[in-house]
Amino acid sequence: VIRSSVGAIKESDIVLAKASNAIIIGFNVRPTTKAIKEAEANGVEIRTSNIIYHITEDIEKALTGMLDPEYREIYLGRIEIKKVSKVSKVGNVAGCVVVDGKVRNDANIRLLRNGIVMYEGKLASLKRFKDDAKEVVAGQECGLGIENFNDIKDGDIVEAFEMQEVKRTLK
């Protein structure tokens, strides 16, 4: 709330709302004719009502739309790196087995060494028997490369996860 006052909505209220990129909410009042014209010219929104809970609902809806989305991490699976090979022009490629869950080629990953996060990013490639794979499930072997990261070692663990957007509300 930038300002609250009693009486009709005036031109000065419109100017303040324009400068603050705000909306004007009026309870049991109306804007003056000059204020209506000023609001139309400057693109300022005026909401008025004679019922208080309509005002509170409008404020709630406006604030909900302003909230940044919240993201929740969804665990997909875990890979254990068995053997690392150097491939010219590509970098290090890991031979792995999916220990738990599943891993998709578009998933976010986290590389763990001795329980410590060494890198967080994306897979560069996911292969199954030299063919590109969209998904590899528990118990299957696969090969993978990690985007912008070459310090892969035998015994490292790769966790796959995705970030899911959660709508936020005020309640």
Side-chain angles (χ1 to χ4, degrees), residues 59-72:
I59 292 170
E60 217 172 87
K61 287 176 185 172
L63 289 173
T64 302
M66 294 170 65
L67 291 174
D68 290 332
E70 188 176 288
Y71 292 94
R72 182 180 322 151

Side-chain angles (χ1 to χ4, degrees), residues 129-150:
F129 302 115
K130 295 187 179 186
D131 297 325
D132 285 334
K134 287 187 182 225
E135 185 175 279
V136 182
V137 295
Q140 294 182 334
E141 293 181 346
C142 63
L144 63 81
I146 300 176
E147 273 183 15
N148 306 320
F149 188 76
N150 266 330

Side-chain angles (χ1 to χ4, degrees), residues 7-165:
I9 298 167
K10 300 181 195 87
E11 290 172 85
S12 60
D13 299 323
I14 306 298
V15 172
L16 179 61
K18 172 71 175 155
S20 306
N21 195 22
I23 61 172
I24 295 177
I25 298 173
F27 173 63
N28 221 15
V29 293
R30 299 292 306 154
T32 64
T33 305
K34 288 182 181 180
I36 291 171
K37 289 179 181 173
E38 187 79 22
E40 287 174 357
N42 290 306
V44 173
E45 185 178 352
I46 300 174
R47 297 180 185 184
T48 60
S49 179
N50 293 337
I51 303 170
I52 192 71
Y53 68 85
H54 288 170
I55 299 287
T56 57
E57 284 175 357
D58 273 358
I59 292 170
E60 217 172 87
K61 287 176 185 172
L63 289 173
T64 302
M66 294 170 65
L67 291 174
D68 290 332
E70 188 176 288
Y71 292 94
R72 182 180 322 151
E73 183 179 302
I74 310 277
Y75 173 82
L76 294 176
R78 189 173 276 233
I79 301 170
E80 186 177 330
I81 296 176
K82 297 292 187 185
K83 180 82 175 139
V84 178
S85 305
K86 288 186 189 257
V87 177
S88 60
K89 298 181 184 176
V90 175
N92 287 342
V93 176
C96 323
V97 64
V98 179
V99 178
D100 165 33
K102 64 182 176 186
V103 177
R104 292 195 317 255
N105 63 353
D106 62 346
N108 295 314
I109 57 107
R110 186 178 295 124
L111 184 107
L112 306 169
R113 185 171 298 148
N114 299 324
I116 298 167
V117 177
M118 301 299 290
Y119 177 78
E120 198 167 304
K122 288 258 193 209
L123 289 175
S125 62
L126 182 65
K127 297 199 180 268
R128 182 130 166 81
F129 302 115
K130 295 187 179 186
D131 297 325
D132 285 334
K134 287 187 182 225
E135 185 175 279
V136 182
V137 295
Q140 294 182 334
E141 293 181 346
C142 63
L144 63 81
I146 300 176
E147 273 183 15
N148 306 320
F149 188 76
N150 266 330
D151 185 28
I152 309 170
K153 301 224 180 335
D154 295 356
D156 285 352
I157 301 291
V158 176
E159 277 186 357
F161 64 96
E162 68 181 6
M163 298 304 282
Q164 184 179 57
E165 187 176 321

